[in-house]
Amino acid sequence: MWLVRVGVVDMSSVGKSYLAVEVVEHYKECFPDGSFWMTETVSRLEWQRELAKPAEKTRYLPPDDDPGKTENERQRAKHFACYLAEHEHALLVLDNVE
């Protein structure tokens, strides 16, 4: 298993997000397990909510989960985090994180 971390840092509005989109698009064949995008959050609850969103969008939900129930976000976030940990060819982009 391999893990690559890349950080792009510069002033605001210089095109960092655009660069990330272009890199993901160019190398998408390297990530057959999926490419996922999260934006900046402040609190732990917001991180949990953002990590639960890809689980909902891809319908990769824990067993017996009801997508309509927001109180299941913690369980969805944990389930999706396990997916990322178990699938080495998945990509998670964290955008606007300080």
Side-chain angles (χ1 to χ4, degrees):
M1 176 187 279
W2 51 274
L3 174 65
V4 177
R5 294 182 193 137
V6 176
V8 179
V9 182
D10 205 339
M11 299 179 337
S12 66
S13 302
V14 295
K16 296 179 300 294
S17 296
Y18 176 78
L19 175 62
V21 169
E22 291 297 313
V23 169
V24 169
E25 181 62 27
H26 184 76
Y27 291 101
K28 65 183 171 187
E29 68 279 351
C30 296
F31 305 104
D33 294 329
S35 298
F36 307 96
W37 199 277
M38 286 179 54
T39 58
E40 176 186 24
T41 59
V42 177
S43 71
R44 182 176 175 194
L45 182 61
E46 288 174 316
W47 274 106
Q48 178 177 294
R49 186 170 296 129
E50 285 298 311
L51 196 54
K53 285 180 184 179
E56 294 169 23
K57 289 179 183 177
T58 61
R59 306 290 295 164
Y60 183 75
L61 300 170
D64 303 322
D65 188 10
D66 179 357
K69 294 186 177 180
T70 57
E71 61 268 17
N72 292 345
E73 283 180 345
R74 181 172 188 255
Q75 183 179 354
R76 282 183 211 125
K78 286 177 68 175
H79 190 70
F80 192 69
C82 287
Y83 174 86
L84 292 172
E86 294 167 0
H87 292 82
E88 65 182 50
H89 294 106
L91 172 68
L92 178 62
V93 176
L94 304 174
D95 190 25
N96 292 323
V97 176
E98 294 183 14

